[in-house]
Amino acid sequence: MDTPLEIPALADAEELTCDVLVIGGGTAGTMAALTAAEHGADVLLLEKAHVRHSGALAMGMDGVNNAVIPGRAEPDDYVAEITRANDGIVDQTTVRQTATRGFAMVRRLESYGVKFEKDEHGEYAVRQVHRSGSYVLPMPEGKDVKKVLYRQLRRREMRERIRIENRVMPVRVLTVRGQAVGAAGFHTRTGAFVVVRAGAVILATGPCGRLGLPASGYLYGTYENPTNAGDGYAMAYHAGAELTGIECFQINPLIKDYNGPACAYVANPFGGYQVNRHGERFVDSDYWSGQMMAEFAAEVASDRGPVYLKLSHLPEESVTALESILHSTERPTRGTFHAGRGHDYRTHDVEMHISEIGLCGGHSASGVRVDDHARTTVPRLYAAGDLACVPHNYMIGAFVFGELAGADAAQYPPYEGDLPSGQLREAHELIYRPLRNPDGPPQPQVEYKLRRFVNDYVAPPKSGARLSLALEAFERMRADIAAMGARSPHELMRCAEVTFIRDCAEMAARASLARTESRWGLYHDRLDHPYRDDTSWFHHLDLRKSPSGAMEFTARPVAPYLVPVDGFTPAGGPSRHLGEVHPEKVATAGSREVAPVTMRQEPDVTGTTARPDTDAGAAATPRLLELLALAENEPELPVLTPYLTDPEPAVRSTAVAVLTETVPPGSGPALAAALADTDAGVRAAAAASLRELVETLAPEPALRDGLFAALSDADPVVRAAALDVLRGLRVGDVDLFVVLLSDSDIAVRIAAVRALVSVDATAEVAGAAATEPSREVRVTIAKALAGMAAGPDSDVVRSTLAELVDDPDALVRGAAYEALGTTGCPTLLAIHAESALSDPAWQVRAGAATALSAADPDVAVPALAKAVADPNADVRKAAVLALTRHRATEDARAALTTATADSDADVRAYAARAL
């Protein structure tokens, strides 16, 4: 049996000093560290894993859910959306920070090399996913966001200011006279006790994703990143900070049995959507919220279930594009999961279900209370990201509040007094207690038991009796947790995480018991208090640790709004102190006059769990190991050049990856040169890297020359990438791009069309339609022409679209009709579109309805009034949206009124909005 780790003496602690201590190296933490350093502070970044791969962001990000891009959305509209989604319980001053600062953050991230989808003219390709507001901005290379951020942390000027300590896990924030002065923790590889004195502390540890137990029973098979065990929630609570909204859980739709997101946000722009087993859209709620999840849960439980993400109706090119995103950027294991079941998006829609519960400010509203500068109620303690209560904050909000925290915290020099000895002893005991009982119950067993209680008693629908049973269970679990055994630093980390989970579980149960109403749909559904009570409960519910060590509550009225929202009129006013919340009596079923006298005995927790075997990593050559070691030292290009020309393709490909991560001067031309490599894998890596870095590369002559040469390469991957990068760099002209319209590869020709659009070559794009053999390219041409009609060649655009509406392929005809909805639909084409409403292909009928939105109402309205009875819900939706543009006419309004009773939720909602 392994010899247990020796407990380090309290006096042997390794002490570190900094101006700003950042705890957590994920989304908010990296931005906080970068910003504090830019403001002149010496920063220490602690991460219990490794910053390069830590946090939810490292799993990949397919897009931004809340990008308020000028010209596409207004900050006030976004604030109103979030207010409605959160049933009015918001501090609009914090939400407005995300709304007003989000665009600048997008630009900042872009300057780092983060890729956001743009159209051919370089405008952000914001998508409308909700029925109101266009906030979703896809990220085609979202899998690389964390790599880009890590590259910024490792820039030479940042390394002078930011010290990164990987594998160090704080367990407590240290406070003196009520203000944060540092933290105590340990090294998760050596077990050493670590103490930090700081001027300010920023918590950025993410949500509590490991709260409820997934349906699979796997401890780490959670919807959220399983390393997020509620560390920051517990640390903030024990430091004296107020938490708020802890009764408002995070619950998400997911892929059945996979516990990954179904990604309707990603699929929606491609034409995917959520349906019941009859193929009907059923969600009436317009924003991701507890109300949406309540509708989702009701549909799953009804005879209309199961619920699916519908993809099987999409054309091949859309399915292929979705696979490339969902099986790489979002979850690399997703394709394997579907393949193991013999499922394919072309033949199977994706069955969906409901996740376990968690706590998350970024996706619901449960977190540490912060103001509009990320300050908590404890001086010099900050919180940012999913840990902070800024409702529906998502990734951009995490970056914004990381930036706000870093800027504000940078003003404080390190604390110089004595660190609190009592708090250090408590932290030391919490960390090393399991080593005193190495053969005690193992962490997986205790954690499983704890989280089963969460599922049984805390998950909605909630009741006072079940929540009271939960509190009894969590109190008993204190003894089980104290008895846990560990032998290694890694096991100590897992044991400490269980203490955080228990703290969060008790917070969730007590807060849910305190709020005696139902609010936020499924997030806080009380069976014994089934209605919303704005009279008593239009309040934030704040939680803090009382002087006696108990959890106590305050009902804080919602402050007056900055942006008025119909249905909610917060008046502010004094808070209502609730004190401790006591459980109901649940020992017996009904009362009894005389209780028997018994000896109370704590249950015995025993058992062992075999330690999992570690997978032996694939053998790496010394040359590769040497190269990977170089990456940590930010090598200049001359150091990497020998590896870029190494005889082994694996070494050259890895050198391209290192070059992409570090980006020394001259990287652009070096990557362009790698496009001519003899190995296809190296060429593909160089192409991907150039696309990733295009926003940060200067169009220097050597790079341009390399890209021009790549246009004649035999590899179509290289040619398409060169075109895309030339377009992104705004380099190249019509004569250069038009040659590629006759390329033998479809992807290259599509890239050529996009490049020609970027230089407004309308005639060339239109001319290609007549001779183009590929459906995919003709669809691209039709969509491109939609945005080119405002120029001097508008007649050419319309005449080309008039030809494409007679195309033999249904998808091309549909795209051409849809384009007419943007360019304008003259009478002859409107008559043509009216006839197309009886086309066998629903895509054509939907496109024709869109075309009629831009036609004369005398022709359009009668035809669209019939189309609202089409058997296909997408056609009916297109007809309703088209009628919206003609709603000034009485017949259009009559047709829209009929559509408000449609079986499809989208059709109903858009019709109601139009009226």
Side-chain angles (χ1 to χ4, degrees):
M1 183 173 287
D2 296 336
T3 303
L5 180 75
E6 184 176 341
I7 299 176
L10 181 63
D12 292 338
E14 177 186 356
E15 184 171 311
L16 306 173
T17 302
C18 61
D19 297 330
V20 176
L21 169 61
V22 179
I23 300 176
T27 310
T30 51
M31 186 57 68
L34 289 166
T35 304
E38 289 168 357
H39 281 71
D42 288 328
V43 179
L44 174 61
L45 175 57
L46 299 185
E47 168 56 54
K48 67 180 179 182
H50 192 293
V51 172
R52 181 186 288 179
H53 308 295
S54 64
L57 197 62
M59 301 169 73
M61 185 61 61
D62 48 62
V64 175
N65 295 346
N66 56 344
V68 183
I69 305 297
R72 298 301 304 274
E74 294 296 328
D76 284 2
D77 292 338
Y78 174 78
V79 172
E81 285 279 0
I82 299 303
T83 303
R84 284 189 287 268
N86 211 53
D87 278 359
I89 310 296
V90 298
D91 178 355
Q92 285 193 348
T93 62
T94 59
V95 176
R96 204 167 197 284
Q97 287 284 50
T98 299
T100 57
R101 301 172 69 95
F103 179 61
M105 182 55 65
V106 168
R107 300 299 296 266
R108 178 175 181 175
L109 293 170
E110 198 169 51
S111 73
Y112 291 166
V114 175
K115 290 287 293 299
F116 298 96
E117 186 171 329
K118 293 184 177 180
D119 63 19
E120 292 80 1
H121 292 286
E123 300 295 329
Y124 294 102
V126 183
R127 308 290 175 82
Q128 182 169 347
V129 172
H130 306 293
R131 297 172 190 128
S132 63
S134 297
Y135 306 116
V136 176
L137 180 57
M139 299 171 67
E141 304 294 334
K143 65 183 184 299
D144 297 320
V145 177
K146 192 61 192 294
K147 180 173 70 175
V148 172
L149 289 172
Y150 186 69
R151 187 166 64 225
Q152 290 301 311
L153 287 172
R154 303 303 296 160
R155 281 167 39 214
R156 185 164 288 103
E157 58 269 35
M158 288 295 103
R159 281 185 291 168
E160 294 173 356
R161 287 286 187 184
I162 301 173
R163 175 178 176 178
I164 298 174
E165 287 292 335
N166 293 306
R167 314 296 180 187
V168 174
M169 178 184 183
V171 299
R172 287 291 185 265
V173 171
L174 303 175
T175 60
V176 174
R177 292 184 295 279
Q179 74 178 29
V181 298
F186 69 106
H187 198 286
T188 64
R189 289 295 183 268
T190 67
F193 190 51
V194 179
V195 174
V196 181
R197 64 171 65 239
V201 179
I202 301 174
L203 292 172
T205 56
C208 181
R210 226 161 77 219
L211 183 60
L213 191 67
S216 65
Y218 298 136
L219 292 181
Y220 307 111
T222 51
Y223 179 92
E224 285 287 354
N225 184 344
T227 65
N228 293 333
D231 309 34
Y233 286 79
M235 284 190 278
Y237 169 74
H238 289 291
E242 291 183 4
L243 295 93
T244 191
I246 303 301
E247 70 280 19
C248 180
F249 298 162
Q250 175 185 217
I251 308 171
N252 295 292
L254 44 69
I255 300 173
K256 181 73 165 63
D257 297 332
Y258 178 65
N259 241 38
C263 294
Y265 272 107
V266 181
N268 187 288
F270 289 91
Y273 46 81
Q274 298 171 65
V275 296
N276 57 28
R277 70 181 178 90
H278 301 300
E280 300 164 338
R281 279 172 286 223
F282 58 88
V283 176
D284 285 311
S285 178
D286 188 32
Y287 201 85
W288 207 272
S289 62
Q291 178 56 38
M292 176 182 285
M293 285 308 305
E295 295 174 23
F296 190 97
E299 202 77 6
V300 169
S302 75
D303 65 350
R304 298 178 301 277
V307 166
Y308 299 89
L309 175 64
K310 186 163 186 60
L311 302 175
S312 59
H313 66 299
L314 299 177
E316 174 60 29
E317 49 267 42
S318 296
V319 172
T320 302
L322 276 170
E323 285 176 333
S324 70
I325 298 171
L326 298 179
H327 298 176
S328 59
T329 298
E330 187 56 48
R331 290 288 195 281
T333 58
R334 181 171 177 156
T336 305
F337 169 80
H338 291 311
R341 297 196 162 198
H343 291 180
D344 186 293
Y345 297 154
R346 297 157 186 81
T347 57
H348 289 73
D349 293 322
V350 181
E351 185 183 355
M352 301 172 67
H353 212 264
I354 297 170
S355 74
E356 69 284 351
I357 67 170
L359 302 178
C360 180
H363 292 80
S364 61
S366 43
V368 178
R369 180 184 171 187
V370 294
D371 66 8
D372 55 356
H373 287 278
R375 296 177 290 230
T376 74
T377 56
V378 171
R380 303 194 184 189
L381 179 63
Y382 299 77
D386 285 340
L387 169 69
C389 184
V390 184
H392 300 280
N393 211 22
Y394 301 114
M395 183 188 78
I396 286 297
F399 279 130
V400 165
F401 273 80
E403 181 180 63
L404 290 167
D408 201 74
Q411 63 184 295
Y412 299 112
Y415 172 73
E416 295 181 349
D418 293 334
L419 293 175
S421 57
Q423 294 175 38
L424 289 173
R425 282 194 301 272
E426 290 175 7
H428 189 273
E429 172 64 16
L430 184 152
I431 295 166
Y432 300 109
R433 179 176 55 198
L435 292 177
R436 299 192 180 96
N437 186 29
D439 297 319
Q443 163 265 330
Q445 176 181 307
V446 177
E447 182 177 333
Y448 182 91
K449 178 179 178 181
L450 170 63
R451 292 167 64 189
R452 279 301 315 176
F453 285 138
V454 171
N455 279 21
D456 291 343
Y457 297 133
V458 184
K462 311 173 188 179
S463 74
R466 282 198 283 268
L467 293 167
S468 299
L469 286 169
L471 292 174
E472 285 191 1
F474 301 150
E475 193 62 32
R476 290 196 308 270
M477 289 296 300
R478 289 184 188 275
D480 296 353
I481 290 171
M484 279 190 301
R487 291 176 171 270
S488 69
H490 180 81
E491 291 175 345
L492 287 179
M493 176 180 72
R494 294 299 184 214
C495 289
E497 287 176 337
V498 176
T499 71
F500 301 149
I501 296 169
R502 201 220 69 87
D503 286 343
C504 289
E506 183 181 353
M507 292 182 207
R510 288 194 185 277
S512 295
L513 195 59
R515 186 179 282 276
T516 52
E517 65 158 357
S518 287
R519 190 178 289 270
W520 306 298
L522 190 63
Y523 295 166
H524 181 64
D525 181 11
R526 284 282 300 259
L527 295 173
D528 47 351
H529 297 282
Y531 302 109
R532 200 173 87 186
D533 179 7
D534 280 350
T535 301
S536 300
W537 280 110
F538 198 61
H539 292 69
H540 303 274
L541 182 62
D542 297 338
L543 175 160
R544 67 183 293 270
K545 188 175 183 179
S546 72
S548 68
M551 293 182 185
E552 64 177 16
F553 293 87
T554 300
R556 173 169 50 93
V558 175
Y561 291 158
L562 303 174
V563 179
V565 178
D566 290 341
F568 302 109
T569 54
S575 295
R576 185 170 79 247
H577 184 67
L578 304 177
E580 297 180 34
V581 175
H582 300 289
E584 298 175 6
K585 294 181 179 180
V586 288
T588 62
S591 62
R592 61 186 302 159
E593 293 180 1
V594 180
V597 178
T598 60
M599 295 294 291
R600 186 172 183 273
Q601 192 170 16
E602 290 292 339
D604 180 42
V605 180
T606 59
T608 58
T609 298
R611 293 180 177 83
D613 293 331
T614 56
D615 295 330
T621 67
R623 187 76 165 157
L624 274 177
L625 294 173
E626 181 182 283
L627 174 57
L628 291 171
L630 281 175
E632 290 295 321
N633 299 318
E634 304 297 306
E636 298 295 335
L637 183 59
V639 177
L640 291 175
T641 299
Y643 299 94
L644 290 166
T645 57
D646 192 272
E648 285 297 320
V651 174
R652 300 200 300 277
S653 182
T654 303
V656 167
V658 172
L659 190 67
T660 308
E661 183 172 317
T662 56
V663 199
S667 295
L671 290 170
L675 291 175
D677 196 277
T678 56
D679 182 79
V682 177
R683 296 196 300 272
S689 294
L690 283 165
R691 283 190 169 110
E692 177 186 334
L693 297 174
V694 66
E695 303 289 349
T696 63
L697 296 175
E700 52 190 304
L703 174 56
R704 293 199 307 269
D705 292 347
L707 294 172
F708 290 160
L711 293 176
S712 57
D713 194 275
D715 188 343
V717 172
V718 170
R719 300 196 300 276
L723 271 171
D724 283 341
V725 176
L726 286 168
R727 173 174 57 82
L729 293 173
R730 319 303 287 176
V731 176
D733 54 28
V734 175
D735 293 338
L736 182 70
F737 297 147
V738 77
V739 176
L740 278 301
L741 282 175
S742 58
D743 194 274
S744 60
D745 185 81
I746 290 174
V748 176
R749 298 202 299 278
I750 289 175
V753 170
R754 298 195 69 200
L756 286 166
V757 172
S758 72
V759 293
D760 298 315
T762 306
E764 286 74 12
V765 172
T771 57
E772 174 53 54
S774 164
R775 175 185 78 182
E776 292 94 325
V777 182
R778 297 200 304 279
V779 167
T780 301
I781 290 171
K783 291 180 177 179
L785 291 172
M788 304 180 80
D793 295 319
S794 57
D795 291 340
V796 174
V797 169
R798 290 195 184 90
S799 64
T800 303
L801 291 174
E803 295 172 2
L804 289 175
V805 296
D806 288 323
D807 194 275
D809 187 273
L811 293 184
V812 178
R813 298 198 301 277
Y817 277 122
E818 187 175 348
L820 289 171
T822 301
T823 65
C825 187
T827 301
L828 289 177
L829 285 173
I831 295 171
H832 210 320
E834 182 183 7
S835 299
L837 287 173
S838 59
D839 193 283
W842 70 265
Q843 295 95 335
V844 177
R845 301 199 303 277
T850 301
L852 289 170
S853 69
D856 186 287
D858 291 338
V859 177
V861 172
L864 291 169
K866 296 176 182 177
V868 294
D870 192 279
N872 184 280
D874 283 319
V875 177
R876 300 199 302 276
K877 176 180 173 181
V880 164
L881 291 171
L883 283 165
T884 300
R885 294 175 68 174
H886 299 300
R887 64 178 176 266
T889 69
E890 185 176 340
D891 289 346
R893 293 181 65 81
L896 288 167
T897 300
T898 301
T900 58
D902 196 275
S903 62
D904 184 90
D906 267 12
V907 177
R908 294 194 303 270
Y910 282 115
R913 289 176 65 86
L915 293 169

